């Protein structure tokens, strides 16, 4: 009370305070604090707010300014503080910043965390930036590690991601020639273009499907690979199935026909139906019988006339008969018939070597 003889004490007005008993006056509020009416002490701005420097006196906590998102304000802050890199505040009025989760990062003063871009990673919480993947690894967005191979490489075997990250060159191998390896390719998912084949999903050896004749496109007709040549992204197509062969073909280089009683044509581009067994047997028997009869008649005529010298003196028939006599004697003496049988058998083997046994002769023999 400022005057003597008062029956009650007056409250200090807003903007002033008094912390002592028996005082006759109030004290002006301390700068950076607020003093409400009847305050016994100056109070700092609460956590999440800061002082309002534009006011000479703050009379309420409502005079304190709320700190914006991306900053933090402890109790009694003069100004808002930016969150450090790797931390953030999503809402205004925060007293501390939260750490960014794994797979994300943030710069100073951030109100949110950004996912790591492709080919980078953040293994720990609170990272201010994402780290590039070691060569030759790659990653998707928001990754906490790098465990897949970059484009142009394939993962040769399944392994723990930590092992792949630790020794990337031991697991990621260069893409085989003629194959395609987009990001994340494994040995099982190698992309084969049309015209190529491999023995299994565990093989990195690609074989070009041969064309045995025609326009040279037979290999592409049989072997469809597992990628649409018109798609640069390497999208797999369902046409290939599981063995890289078109619907009608199967086996090594897709040289076998799926349907029974079918065979690969001479050009290697289509499967044709085999002739019925009865028809084929009849044709073979008829041909063989005709040849036997013809050779029998010739042999009979020759044996009948062999001892007759008169025909060999004739002008037109004599010379061929004499040549036949000498040729027969020569063939018998040098054993030409067995040699001819061997040569003919070798020719038959060479003729079906590539189509039946999937073996290739050197180019100098085949042209």
């Amino acid at each position: 009370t400022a005057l003597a003889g008062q029956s009650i004490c007056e409250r200090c007005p807003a903007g002033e305070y008094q912390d002592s008993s028996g005082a006759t006056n109030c004290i002006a509020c301390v700068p950076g604090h607020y003093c409400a009416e009847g305050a016994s002490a100056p109070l700092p701005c609460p956590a999440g707010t800061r002082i309002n420097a534009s006011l000479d006196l703050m009379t309420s906590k409502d005079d304190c300014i709320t700190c914006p998102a991306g900053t933090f304000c402890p109790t009694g802050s003069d100004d808002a503080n930016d969150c450090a890199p790797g931390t953030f505040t999503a809402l205004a009025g925060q007293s501390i910043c939260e750490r960014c989760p794994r797979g994300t990062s943030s710069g100073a003063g951030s109100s949110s965390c950004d996912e790591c871009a492709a080919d980078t990673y953040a293994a720990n919480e609170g990272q201010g930036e994402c780290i590039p993947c070691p060569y030759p690894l790659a990653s998707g967005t928001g990754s906490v590690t790098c465990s897949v191979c970059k484009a142009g490489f394939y993962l040769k075997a399944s392994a723990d991601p930590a092992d792949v990250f630790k020794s990337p060159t031991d697991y990621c191998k260069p893409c085989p020639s003629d194959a395609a390896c987009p990001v994340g390719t494994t040995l099982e998912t190698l992309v084969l273009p049309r015209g190529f084949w491999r023995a299994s999903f565990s093989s990195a050896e690609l074989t070009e499907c041969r064309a045995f004749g025609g326009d040279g496109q037979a290999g592409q007709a049989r072997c469809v690979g597992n990628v649409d040549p018109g798609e640069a992204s390497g999208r797999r197509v369902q046409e290939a199935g599981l063995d890289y062969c078109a619907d009608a073909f199967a086996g090594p280089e897709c040289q076998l026909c799926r349907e029974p009683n079918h065979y690969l044509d001479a050009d290697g581009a289509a499967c044709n139906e085999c002739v019925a067994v009865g028809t084929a047997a009849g044709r073979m028997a008829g041909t063989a019988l005709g040849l036997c009869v013809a050779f029998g008649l010739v042999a009979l005529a020759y044996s009948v006339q062999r001892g007759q010298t008169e025909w060999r003196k004739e002008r037109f028939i004599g010379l061929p008969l004499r040549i036949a006599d000498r040729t027969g004697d020569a063939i018998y003496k040098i054993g030409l018939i067995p040699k001819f049988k061997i040569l003919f058998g070798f020719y038959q083997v060479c003729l079906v070597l590539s189509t039946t046994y999937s073996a290739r002769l050197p180019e100098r023999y085949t042209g």
Side-chain angles (χ1 to χ4, degrees):
T1 55
L3 300 175
Q6 301 297 315
S7 61
I8 61 172
C9 295
E10 298 180 17
R11 293 163 63 89
C12 288
E16 297 180 359
Y17 76 98
Q18 180 51 261
D19 57 355
S20 299
S21 299
T24 60
N25 63 337
C26 294
I27 305 170
C29 198
V30 177
H33 293 66
Y34 70 91
C35 296
E37 182 181 5
S40 61
L43 298 174
C45 285
T49 64
R50 64 176 177 84
I51 66 172
N52 189 342
S54 65
L55 300 178
D56 293 332
L57 290 173
M58 293 190 297
T59 61
S60 161
K61 67 178 182 180
D62 294 334
D63 290 338
C64 298
I65 298 175
T66 301
C67 295
T71 65
F72 70 100
C73 294
T75 300
S77 294
D78 293 335
D79 203 353
N81 304 294
D82 285 341
C83 289
T87 64
F88 74 103
T89 53
L91 302 175
Q94 303 300 308
S95 60
I96 58 172
C97 297
E98 299 179 48
R99 292 197 299 176
C100 289
R102 300 173 66 200
T104 65
S105 67
S106 69
S110 296
S111 60
S112 63
C113 301
D114 299 321
E115 281 189 331
C116 291
D119 300 331
T120 64
Y121 72 102
N124 303 309
E125 293 182 346
Q127 288 194 200
E129 61 180 0
C130 299
I131 303 172
C133 291
Y135 181 86
L137 295 180
S139 69
T141 57
S143 295
V144 299
T145 187
C146 302
S147 59
V148 297
C149 301
K150 64 182 294 185
F153 292 81
Y154 72 94
L155 188 66
K156 72 173 186 177
S158 298
D160 186 271
D163 294 334
V164 176
F165 184 85
K166 184 177 180 180
S167 305
T169 55
D170 291 341
Y171 290 94
C172 290
K173 298 301 179 182
C175 196
S177 177
D178 298 314
C181 297
V183 174
T185 297
T186 65
L187 180 59
E188 292 78 10
T189 61
L190 283 177
V191 181
L192 272 65
R194 185 178 289 272
F196 285 84
W197 175 89
R198 63 172 176 163
S200 71
F201 292 146
S202 61
S203 172
E205 188 72 24
L206 272 63
T207 302
E208 185 174 5
C209 298
R210 291 167 291 169
F212 302 107
D215 58 3
Q217 301 300 314
Q220 296 189 14
R222 300 193 317 273
C223 304
V224 296
N226 63 338
V227 61
D228 186 348
E231 292 287 343
S233 63
R235 178 177 60 83
R236 275 74 169 173
V237 292
Q238 296 299 321
E239 179 188 12
L242 297 178
D243 57 2
Y244 312 107
C245 298
D247 291 340
F249 305 94
E253 294 186 39
C254 307
Q255 293 183 15
L256 303 179
C257 297
R258 292 187 187 274
E259 292 293 327
N261 299 321
H262 282 68
Y263 67 96
L264 191 67
D265 66 5
D267 292 340
C271 284
N272 297 329
E273 186 175 4
C274 298
V275 178
V277 176
T279 303
R283 291 177 181 177
M284 294 177 62
T287 302
L289 181 60
L291 290 175
C292 289
V293 171
F295 281 116
L297 293 175
V298 172
L300 178 62
Y302 179 74
S303 62
V304 170
Q305 299 299 330
R306 182 172 178 80
Q308 300 181 13
T309 58
E310 291 81 3
W311 282 39
R312 286 162 175 73
K313 295 178 181 179
E314 295 293 333
R315 182 176 180 181
F316 296 104
I317 193 67
L319 182 59
L321 290 175
R322 291 194 298 272
I323 292 175
D325 291 341
R326 295 175 183 176
T327 302
D329 293 339
I331 290 175
Y332 178 77
K333 290 179 180 179
I334 63 176
L336 190 60
I337 293 178
K339 294 181 176 63
F340 177 77
K341 291 181 179 179
I342 295 173
L343 181 63
F344 184 72
F346 178 74
Y347 170 75
Q348 288 180 311
V349 171
C350 292
L351 194 64
V352 298
L353 192 62
S354 59
T355 57
T356 303
Y357 301 102
S358 297
R360 301 186 184 186
L361 289 173
E363 291 187 359
R364 63 177 180 273
Y365 297 136
T366 61

